[in-house]
Amino acid sequence: MKAFETFHPIVLFSFFVAAISLSMFFMHPIYLAITIFSAISLNIALRRQLFFKDWKLYVPLFFLMAIINPLISHNGQLVLLYINGNALTVEAIMYGIAIATMIVAVMLWFSCYNVVMTSDKFIYLFGKVSPALSLTLSISLRLVPRFRHQLTQIVQAQKVIGMDYTTGSLWHRIKCTMRILSILITWALDNAIDTADSMKARGYGIKKRTAFSLFFFERRDGFVLAIIILLFVSNFAASFIGTTTFYFYPTFGAVKWDIGSILFYSSYFALLSIPLAIEIKGALKWRSLKSTM
Amino acid sequence: MAFVKINNVSFTYPNEANPILKNINLTIQQGEFIVLIGQSGCGKSTLLRHFKRELHPHGEMTGDIFYKDCDLEQLDSEVAATDIGYVFQNPENQIVTDKVWHELAFGLESLGVDSQTIRRRVAEMANFFGIQKWFHHKTTELSGGQKQLLNLASIMVMQPKLLLLDEPTSQLDPIAALEFIQTLHRLNKELGITIILIEHRLEEILPLADRVLIMDEGSILFDGPPKEILKELPANHAMITALPAATKIFHQLSGVGPVPLTIREGQRFLSTQQVIPSHLPPSKSQNEKNIVLEAKDIAFRYEKNGLDVVHHFNLQVKEQEFLTIIGGNGTGKSTVLSILSGLQKPYRGKVFLFNKILKSYSNKQLYQQYLTLLPQNPKTLFVQKTVHQELEDMARLHKVSEKKIQETIHLFHLTHLLNRHPYDLSGGEQQKLALAKLLLMEPRILLLDEPTKGLDAHAKEELAQILKDLQAKGMTIIMVTHDIEFSAQYSNRCALFFDGNIVSEEEPRAFYSGNNFYTTAAHRISRELLSNAITCEDVVTLCKKTCV
């Protein structure tokens, strides 16, 4: 288990809400550089193998999006050349790259989210809001793999009696599929009677449910949560002041390098590198523990 | 003070003419371990559900039930939910949530218990049941035995006083079933929990029970300790066949003295009989017949980088043979059947059907004329509203004559069930219907995947009779099973599947007398005296012969 994952779900969830929502709105080159850099490093830390596989998807996606914008947008003053009488401008190209960076960064954040926020953490968070909803989620998560298993059984049994949905005329295939689905549903409903009985037998519906969980909210969780909130607020303030705004059209705005702006940039970087910092700290700690053993 | 008292309870299901429970009177003391047995349809499950208010069946009930001198109907709903626990037959269906720890907490969550208490109770039970290792697992990843233990544990966290179980081991393999029963025994001995258990696998459970209730057509026929059963039950009652091997042998040899229940007691009883060590001729084999199905060096795996489930698998099946393949749970026996039936393709090796490679048959040809596979769960075949429509549906698909349908109905004794919904049939009846459907196609080879799972002694006998009839008519039968007794009694050849291939194969008498552990109860009882008796009948015949 990675160090960051061991934090309380509420901490993890707030981090991703902050990181993803801010990344989606800030189109400033510095901010984009920070978010893509942090997202990539966290991906490498958390997903390693998977991440290197995903490159096949992200790189073409990045270029595709970067190319589309200059093809449809002809604003900007720095004209490179004309295609069919339409201007191809540096601004449009840069804007395309910026949008592509932003989208890829958000996707990378989401892929980390999927690793860290496992179903039980998500269910736990929802349980705080509505215990009934969290139970529904938990039941559905159990049913999906179960249905898949039952479906394979039904498909095989039906194949033996000549109802193979992979061969024959279109009409035959439709008929077979309908038949398989019908069996699946009847079977599932029949099983559901047992499940309902089993819930009732264990007192479901007598009282207001509580939501039990295995998670503890420790002092370090409070500490990290406070930092996340603080940094989120400061970044929010930055966008109010206008530090995070950057113009691509009609031509590029200027990137500010005054003390105030640099402080705001660093606060963004600090926020997004929280998980990576935790991972590094965890790794160093293990190394020192090992050497003293 | 009686713990549970049932006064004159009768019960009739809606739209049924006859009551399913007739004037039941019963007093249960705290701490008793009671086994409730009876043929399917005798009303034992209905009676068990009467003990649990939340699960009362719909219908008309007369009489009273008292729990700790309080009318069950008046009982506080929280007490009713916690004090009386119920475990169902199917381990899958009663699991509600996706994680083991969440399932354990489910009941307590429903009662609004605070997290700290839940944490403690869940920890306690996880320890008692040895669940720590898979505490964080997903419930879908568990084996059948683990699932049923989880169900029991998630009842136990609510600290029940009375535990009701409806055939909890019927879907489990013998080893998991034994583990489950031993856990129940511990709960009874160490915590003093009152247990009422419906069971049809009596070999292991009967020696542990304090009291046995035998039900017959809605009334209680016998109520007493297990050793008394033979004294009071009519000599040719159907439940006799369900008793442990030692008891059956004792009964058929008209033994006197204490009734043996366990293997050890059976051995002791047999040693008091004047038996001269003797030998039976081997059972008839089909050696001279043609090979109809042959597997050569099959290797199979489910995933590219996974382990081989089946490898170096060789098998020859002769015409008109009844072959049983036995082996542990999850070792790939079912996979073997799906390879032999062409549903899964091996990545190495070949299957030959009537000397032609299996791949050269079209699916239509293969499944309509040559072979068929009875799936483990017959529900995967049912689409219609009645049994009759089920058969007609199949007949329409494969252009079977009305005469053939009538013949099949007759062969499978389905006449009285024709208008019932397939889902309302008992496990044994569903199995029969599924088999009847498949055999409308007139295949020459029949493959069966654990057909005796969940069947009671009577249904098993009926299935065996049908299989014997089919075999006499020329059918070749290959069956995968856990059921050693069934395999020993009815098959012509037995094969042990282990680690991806067949380790040994022989005719049943040689096969089971060659094994020390993996063998029938009757052989374990008689091994010292009789070298190759493997069924109760064998033991009885040899004993009678030598006594005369």
Side-chain angles (χ1 to χ4, degrees):
Chain A
M1 208 181 212
K2 303 282 185 181
F4 183 53
E5 287 173 67
T6 60
F7 277 80
H8 192 269
I10 195 92
V11 177
L12 305 177
F13 192 71
S14 345
F15 171 77
F16 283 107
V17 167
I20 292 170
S21 64
L22 295 180
S23 299
M24 273 197 296
F25 290 108
F26 294 170
M27 287 288 283
H28 190 289
I30 302 286
Y31 280 84
L32 285 174
I34 292 173
T35 184
I36 193 88
F37 170 76
S38 319
I40 290 175
S41 4
L42 188 62
N43 250 284
I44 292 173
L46 291 180
R47 301 174 68 231
R48 202 147 294 166
Q49 297 301 323
L50 284 171
F51 175 64
F52 290 121
K53 259 186 206 164
D54 285 353
W55 267 128
K56 288 175 205 137
L57 172 73
Y58 290 128
V59 173
L61 197 73
F62 180 85
F63 282 107
L64 190 74
M65 286 183 297
I67 289 166
I68 287 174
N69 190 58
L71 290 183
I72 49 174
S73 158
H74 310 292
N75 293 336
Q77 295 176 345
L78 302 167
V79 179
L80 282 178
L81 56 132
Y82 286 93
I83 302 170
N84 292 339
N86 288 320
L88 186 70
T89 64
V90 179
E91 286 88 351
I93 293 174
M94 291 319 282
Y95 189 68
I97 291 175
I99 285 188
T101 312
M102 188 265 279
I103 292 175
V104 169
V106 169
M107 285 173 75
L108 287 172
W109 284 121
F110 266 112
S111 60
C112 291
Y113 171 90
N114 277 335
V115 173
V116 173
M117 286 294 289
T118 48
S119 62
D120 46 341
K121 292 181 191 166
F122 188 66
I123 287 171
Y124 163 74
L125 284 180
F126 266 84
K128 292 279 168 200
V129 185
S130 148
L133 189 65
S134 85
L135 180 65
T136 317
L137 269 172
S138 176
I139 293 175
S140 336
L141 281 173
R142 156 153 175 72
L143 286 182
V144 172
R146 222 184 137 195
F147 284 165
R148 202 178 298 145
H149 177 68
Q150 289 180 337
L151 203 59
T152 14
Q153 281 183 286
I154 298 170
V155 167
Q156 292 208 342
Q158 290 296 316
K159 196 171 171 184
V160 171
I161 62 167
M163 297 302 280
D164 183 358
Y165 79 103
T166 55
T167 56
S169 65
L170 183 66
W171 174 236
H172 176 79
R173 289 180 192 213
I174 293 173
K175 233 167 46 179
C176 292
T177 314
M178 294 308 290
R179 199 179 157 97
I180 288 167
L181 287 180
S182 146
I183 296 173
L184 181 69
I185 292 166
T186 323
W187 194 7
L189 289 177
D190 190 58
N191 291 340
I193 298 175
D194 267 2
T195 313
D197 273 349
S198 151
M199 288 169 73
K200 219 161 50 173
R202 281 185 279 165
Y204 184 74
I206 295 180
K207 279 188 166 180
K208 195 175 178 304
R209 276 178 68 79
T210 46
F212 174 65
S213 80
L214 298 174
F215 305 109
F216 296 97
F217 194 86
E218 294 171 43
R219 190 190 265 159
R220 59 174 196 152
D221 294 307
F223 182 64
V224 174
L225 187 63
I227 294 180
I228 291 173
I229 293 172
L230 199 75
L231 291 174
F232 181 75
V233 170
S234 87
N235 279 286
F236 205 71
S239 81
F240 253 103
I241 300 167
T243 318
T244 64
T245 334
F246 182 82
Y247 296 105
F248 287 84
Y249 302 120
T251 190
F252 302 115
V255 174
K256 285 183 229 153
W257 288 107
D258 55 295
I259 294 286
S261 303
I262 289 175
L263 276 178
F264 278 127
Y265 301 155
S266 349
S267 87
Y268 191 57
F269 181 71
L271 173 64
L272 296 190
S273 50
I274 286 174
L276 196 67
I278 290 169
E279 289 297 333
I280 291 171
K281 191 181 156 219
L284 289 179
K285 185 133 200 198
W286 270 108
R287 187 169 294 169
S288 72
L289 279 177
K290 242 188 213 161
S291 63
T292 53
M293 255 194 290
Chain B
M1 183 181 85
F3 184 55
V4 181
K5 200 168 163 57
I6 291 193
N7 277 343
N8 255 326
V9 165
S10 296
F11 181 81
T12 316
Y13 277 110
N15 305 325
E16 291 279 334
N18 300 315
I20 184 136
L21 298 178
K22 297 168 192 157
N23 295 325
I24 305 265
N25 284 298
L26 210 56
T27 309
I28 289 160
Q29 301 301 333
Q30 192 149 13
E32 278 188 307
F33 191 146
I34 300 176
V35 177
L36 176 58
I37 56 178
Q39 282 183 279
S40 70
C42 71
K44 52 188 193 306
S45 292
T46 313
L47 177 61
L48 197 70
R49 277 178 174 257
H50 274 82
F51 288 100
K52 177 86 180 156
R53 193 177 67 195
E54 293 85 346
L55 301 177
H56 274 189
H58 292 285
E60 207 179 311
M61 180 197 146
T62 56
D64 306 294
I65 303 170
F66 295 98
Y67 172 73
K68 288 188 173 170
D69 290 337
C70 171
D71 190 342
L72 200 60
E73 297 299 321
Q74 313 293 321
L75 203 63
D76 174 58
S77 56
E78 207 177 318
V79 176
T82 52
D83 272 21
I84 304 172
Y86 197 103
V87 178
F88 300 77
Q89 181 174 7
N90 191 317
E92 288 274 349
N93 293 351
Q94 36 187 333
I95 296 178
V96 177
T97 62
D98 64 329
K99 290 281 167 91
V100 170
W101 62 264
H102 197 187
E103 187 64 23
L104 285 170
F106 179 85
L108 296 174
E109 280 184 332
S110 296
L111 297 172
V113 177
D114 63 284
S115 277
Q116 204 44 50
T117 319
I118 297 183
R119 198 177 292 274
R120 181 172 161 186
R121 296 246 204 117
V122 162
E124 232 183 355
M125 272 309 132
N127 270 310
F128 188 89
F129 283 88
I131 291 178
Q132 304 97 318
K133 276 189 201 124
W134 32 283
F135 187 65
H136 288 277
H137 285 207
K138 286 183 183 158
T139 49
T140 37
E141 289 165 357
L142 306 180
S143 72
Q146 288 176 324
K147 279 182 186 148
Q148 201 63 304
L149 277 179
L150 171 62
N151 288 322
L152 182 58
S154 47
I155 301 288
M156 289 310 299
V157 292
M158 306 182 68
Q159 304 182 335
K161 312 277 182 295
L162 172 64
L163 204 52
L164 308 165
L165 305 104
D166 188 355
E167 299 188 22
T169 67
S170 72
Q171 303 296 313
L172 309 184
D173 66 277
I175 292 162
L178 194 61
E179 196 190 336
F180 188 85
I181 286 170
Q182 279 161 354
T183 311
L184 281 183
H185 187 57
R186 260 183 80 197
L187 288 174
N188 178 253
K189 285 278 164 318
E190 293 175 16
L191 306 175
I193 290 163
T194 316
I195 293 176
I196 307 179
L197 167 74
I198 297 183
E199 189 52 84
H200 51 240
R201 213 176 338 208
L202 300 179
E203 197 73 49
E204 292 92 18
I205 196 78
L206 223 47
L208 303 177
D210 298 321
R211 183 171 165 196
V212 178
L213 299 174
I214 301 181
M215 280 189 75
D216 198 354
E217 292 183 359
S219 353
I220 290 174
L221 185 70
F222 170 82
D223 179 358
K227 298 224 173 209
E228 306 281 306
I229 294 177
L230 283 179
K231 278 184 204 157
E232 290 185 37
L233 214 59
N236 47 6
H237 190 266
M239 280 321 290
I240 299 268
T241 52
L243 294 176
T247 319
K248 268 196 284 190
I249 293 171
F250 176 85
H251 172 68
Q252 281 166 17
L253 291 174
S254 326
V256 282
V259 180
L261 292 173
T262 61
I263 303 287
R264 197 181 59 188
E265 286 168 1
Q267 288 170 341
R268 218 170 276 162
F269 161 72
L270 215 58
S271 67
T272 64
Q273 303 286 301
Q274 260 105 49
V275 184
I276 303 158
S278 50
H279 202 76
L280 281 162
S283 40
K284 197 173 69 180
S285 74
Q286 311 282 341
N287 258 340
E288 67 288 353
K289 294 271 170 86
N290 299 327
I291 295 171
V292 290
L293 188 65
E294 185 174 15
K296 278 187 183 163
D297 277 328
I298 300 285
F300 178 83
R301 58 175 69 154
Y302 281 97
E303 280 147 15
K304 191 179 146 209
N305 296 322
L307 290 171
D308 280 351
V309 181
V310 174
H311 67 98
H312 187 61
F313 178 84
N314 288 294
L315 182 71
Q316 289 186 340
V317 186
K318 304 266 169 66
E319 194 175 0
Q320 227 184 338
E321 178 176 47
F322 185 169
L323 168 73
T324 48
I325 301 175
I326 59 166
N329 213 24
T331 49
K333 299 194 304 300
S334 300
T335 312
V336 164
L337 278 193
S338 50
I339 292 171
L340 291 178
S341 60
L343 287 172
Q344 301 274 16
K345 308 271 179 284
Y347 73 87
R348 195 170 61 230
K350 288 187 179 90
V351 181
F352 296 92
L353 180 67
F354 292 97
N355 296 321
K356 260 173 71 187
I357 194 157
L358 189 68
K359 271 186 244 165
S360 66
Y361 294 87
S362 76
N363 273 351
K364 205 168 173 184
Q365 222 185 355
L366 180 65
Y367 297 126
Q368 284 184 21
Q369 295 163 22
Y370 291 100
L371 61 81
T372 195
L373 168 67
L374 179 72
Q376 217 177 83
N377 199 322
K379 283 179 186 163
T380 51
L381 288 170
F382 300 154
V383 269
Q384 300 293 336
K385 285 197 184 68
T386 68
V387 170
H388 198 224
Q389 284 173 351
E390 257 335 311
L391 294 172
E392 277 177 342
D393 169 74
M394 194 66 186
R396 211 167 35 242
L397 280 177
H398 299 285
K399 305 188 177 55
V400 178
S401 67
E402 180 61 27
K403 188 168 154 266
K404 176 76 189 165
I405 299 185
Q406 292 308 325
E407 267 176 35
T408 311
I409 291 173
H410 182 73
L411 176 70
F412 287 90
H413 313 290
L414 293 172
T415 324
H416 61 291
L417 302 171
L418 286 178
N419 294 319
R420 297 269 292 277
H421 193 284
Y423 275 76
D424 291 337
L425 305 179
S426 72
E429 289 164 345
Q430 285 186 344
Q431 196 77 260
K432 275 201 298 186
L433 174 60
L435 199 53
K437 267 192 91 164
L438 292 176
L439 293 181
L440 282 175
M441 295 193 291
E442 305 191 57
R444 295 167 69 178
I445 302 173
L446 171 61
L447 306 169
L448 304 126
D449 194 355
E450 291 192 33
T452 60
K453 198 176 189 178
L455 300 194
D456 63 15
H458 177 73
K460 271 187 203 173
E461 246 174 78
E462 211 177 345
L463 177 71
Q465 198 48 53
I466 290 170
L467 293 180
K468 281 279 158 195
D469 286 350
L470 290 171
Q471 194 192 5
K473 285 182 187 161
M475 182 85 77
T476 310
I477 301 169
I478 305 169
M479 176 172 143
V480 151
T481 186
H482 289 306
D483 198 328
I484 291 175
E485 309 288 333
F486 191 89
S487 148
Q489 209 164 354
Y490 302 108
S491 67
N492 300 117
R493 194 152 63 99
C494 308
L496 176 63
F497 183 84
F498 177 75
D499 193 25
N501 51 57
I502 302 262
V503 179
S504 70
E505 49 172 322
E506 254 168 318
E507 56 91 17
R509 206 150 268 153
F511 182 84
Y512 285 111
S513 52
N515 293 352
N516 276 319
F517 176 73
Y518 219 71
T519 185
T520 61
H523 183 66
R524 277 183 275 159
I525 291 171
S526 65
R527 191 163 46 212
E528 297 292 311
L529 298 162
L530 312 166
S531 60
N532 65 350
I534 56 166
T535 64
C536 294
E537 285 70 34
D538 286 353
V539 176
V540 171
T541 355
L542 279 181
C543 288
K544 279 193 176 149
K545 219 189 276 172
T546 53
C547 287
V548 169

